[in-house]
Amino acid sequence: MRAALLVAPKTPVAVTDVDLRGPRAGEVLVRIAACGVCHSDLSVVDGSFPSALPVVLGHEAAGVVEDVGAGVTSVAPGDQVMLCPLPSCGQCYFCSRNQPTLCSVYSASLFSSLLPDGTSPLSRNGEIVYRGLATAGWAEQAIMPEVAVVRIDPDVPLDVACVIGCAVQTGVGAVLNTAQVEEGATVMIFGAGGIGIAVTQGARLAAASRVIVVDPVAERRSMALGFGATDVIDPGTDDPVTASYELTGGIGVDYAFEAAGQAALLEAGINAVRPGGTVVGVGAPPIDQGISIPGVVGFTATEKKLIGCLLGTVHAQRDIPKLVALWQAGRLDLEGMITHRMPLEQTEDALDLMRRREGLRTVLTVGS
Ligand SMILES: NC(=O)c1ccc[n+]([C@@H]2O[C@H](COP(=O)([O-])OP(=O)(O)OC[C@H]3O[C@@H](n4cnc5c(N)ncnc54)[C@H](O)[C@@H]3O)[C@@H](O)[C@H]2O)c1
Ligand SMILES: [Zn+2]
Ligand SMILES: [Zn+2]
């Protein structure tokens, strides 16, 4: 089959032929219809995240079941499905404590780019090809464990729904699952890319009273206003921390979300939230960046909270149908997030759009 392959960091992703074995017991073979491009893919391509190589990236995918292995009961050939980069086994230490994104089976799989059994279904000329971010969706087909596919209604357009697979479940989940923002809360969001816009939509769903979005790109600030931002800040001209106090009567926002992938913005978030406020790290800064909290006793004495967020603390089998239903009810705008559609051959062009911060989300229309 054709797949967009990364052979070495800082080299172009190129479409080539790779081999994919058939589904084994408990696995599903999916024909990919569409797959979005996320900054986490770009970070691997540009070398700011290490990854096993060569690798097929793409983890925001939807498709149609083509074949199932022995014992698969929840889906059948012909079903439309969302692919989940991070499902949960339901049985490990973390799953049994209701922390599905920390599942020891599937979080390991996400970072190793291998199936839970330690192998990859992908190869080229007999050599292993890694299954990037536990999906490898920039390809015509993918092998997924049964628990990593969720059936969706046959009339849901897959080239729209695919953005739920990462951006939307991460951003909306950061608000509803990770932070559990309450009605009327004030929120600041750093970054208005696909993830930040999904956080903005989550804040609107949570009925936050003030949603302040920070982004240096004017086009993205104006898009944020259409997705529920009440205020936008250009960090090139206005200090977001000062704005947090000015826009909340001197108190500071209740929640700050870092969705740009820069460690310094976590520090800004800590300064922007009120005493008792919560900072959520959603963006994934380059591996060599860290933060410092000078006068950390002030952090302690003001009872601030700093929490990480992986894929929106999603419970895939519960949340993906919920997010599809919110879209069907007109309460979640997916179409508006997708500014470009391109064929698989143009994966590198799609990455270039993201590097230039043009548009918002690009969807690769693989099989549609
Ligand atoms: N935690 C998770 O599970 C998870 C899931 C998906 C993506 N991510 C990460 O989230 C981050 C965002 O991903 P994306 O796909 O939306 O990327 P993106 O490139 O589309 O958006 C990033 C945005 O940050 C903005 N930005 C840059 N500097 C800024 C600043 N100083 N202040 C405010 N905004 C600034 C950019 O203009 C851009 O609009 C990436 O780091 C990605 O790896 C994390
Ligand atoms: Zn992603
Ligand atoms: Zn588990």
Side-chain angles (χ1 to χ4, degrees):
M1 64 161 181
R2 290 179 313 130
L5 191 71
L6 177 73
V7 174
K10 300 183 182 151
T11 64
V13 165
V15 172
T16 183
D17 283 335
V18 302
D19 297 312
L20 183 71
R21 64 157 174 78
R24 293 182 179 159
E27 294 179 347
V28 178
L29 175 67
V30 182
R31 180 158 289 278
I32 304 293
C35 185
V37 175
C38 173
H39 206 114
S40 302
D41 300 309
L42 180 60
S43 294
V44 174
V45 176
D46 288 351
S48 54
F49 274 177
S51 168
L53 296 161
V55 64
V56 175
L57 296 164
H59 58 279
E60 197 175 72
V64 177
V65 174
E66 194 155 287
D67 194 8
V68 297
V72 170
T73 55
S74 63
V75 293
D79 285 349
Q80 289 211 135
V81 288
M82 292 289 314
L83 284 68
C84 318
L86 185 49
S88 48
C89 78
Q91 291 176 337
C92 70
Y93 184 92
F94 299 97
C95 285
S96 57
R97 283 159 182 77
N98 199 25
Q99 294 181 301
T101 40
L102 304 180
C103 173
S104 18
V105 178
Y106 289 104
S107 69
S109 186
L110 184 72
F111 296 113
S112 67
S113 297
L114 294 168
L115 286 163
D117 69 2
T119 67
S120 174
L122 294 156
S123 61
R124 189 173 62 137
N125 305 326
E127 303 284 325
I128 187 168
V129 169
Y130 288 88
R131 182 175 168 263
L133 292 164
T135 312
W138 292 348
E140 290 178 312
Q141 294 171 309
I143 288 283
M144 301 298 282
E146 180 179 11
V147 72
V149 295
V150 179
R151 188 150 47 103
I152 57 175
D153 289 347
D155 59 350
V156 175
L158 297 176
D159 64 340
V160 172
C162 64
V163 293
I164 292 175
C166 181
V168 172
Q169 69 178 8
T170 299
V172 174
V175 175
L176 301 184
N177 296 334
T178 315
Q180 301 183 8
V181 169
E182 66 280 5
E183 189 177 339
T186 54
V187 173
M188 177 168 271
I189 300 157
F190 293 90
I195 308 300
I197 290 292
V199 176
T200 306
Q201 295 211 60
R204 188 184 56 190
L205 285 168
S209 62
R210 199 116 203 190
V211 182
I212 307 159
V213 175
V214 183
D215 199 294
V217 179
E219 186 199 358
R220 294 200 165 176
R221 289 196 302 276
S222 73
M223 286 185 88
L225 289 167
F227 284 99
T230 57
D231 307 85
V232 288
I233 304 288
D234 176 359
T237 54
D238 289 301
D239 174 35
V241 176
T242 307
S244 166
Y245 291 93
E246 281 174 3
L247 294 170
T248 57
I251 290 172
V253 290
D254 298 319
Y255 296 90
F257 292 84
E258 199 290 320
Q262 295 180 23
L265 299 177
L266 278 175
E267 296 172 355
I270 292 169
N271 292 325
V273 296
R274 64 165 172 84
T278 301
V279 182
V280 186
V282 190
I287 194 103
D288 57 354
Q289 288 186 7
I291 65 167
S292 72
I293 307 179
V296 70
V297 67
F299 177 86
T300 301
T302 52
E303 297 195 348
K304 293 188 179 181
K305 293 178 274 297
L306 173 60
I307 49 180
C309 167
L310 184 59
L311 266 295
T313 317
V314 69
H315 186 310
Q317 298 287 346
R318 177 196 67 192
D319 292 343
I320 288 176
K322 178 172 108 177
L323 293 166
V324 171
L326 284 167
W327 171 76
Q328 287 169 322
R331 297 179 62 200
L332 198 54
D333 179 1
L334 304 181
E335 290 93 333
M337 293 178 65
I338 302 165
T339 51
H340 296 81
R341 285 191 170 77
M342 293 180 172
L344 188 63
E345 284 69 21
Q346 278 179 263
T347 306
E348 187 59 32
D349 297 333
L351 290 165
D352 265 339
L353 281 176
M354 180 166 268
R355 290 183 184 106
R356 295 198 304 267
R357 299 178 186 167
E358 268 178 54
L360 191 63
R361 214 63 169 173
T362 302
V363 166
L364 301 171
T365 49
V366 184
S368 34

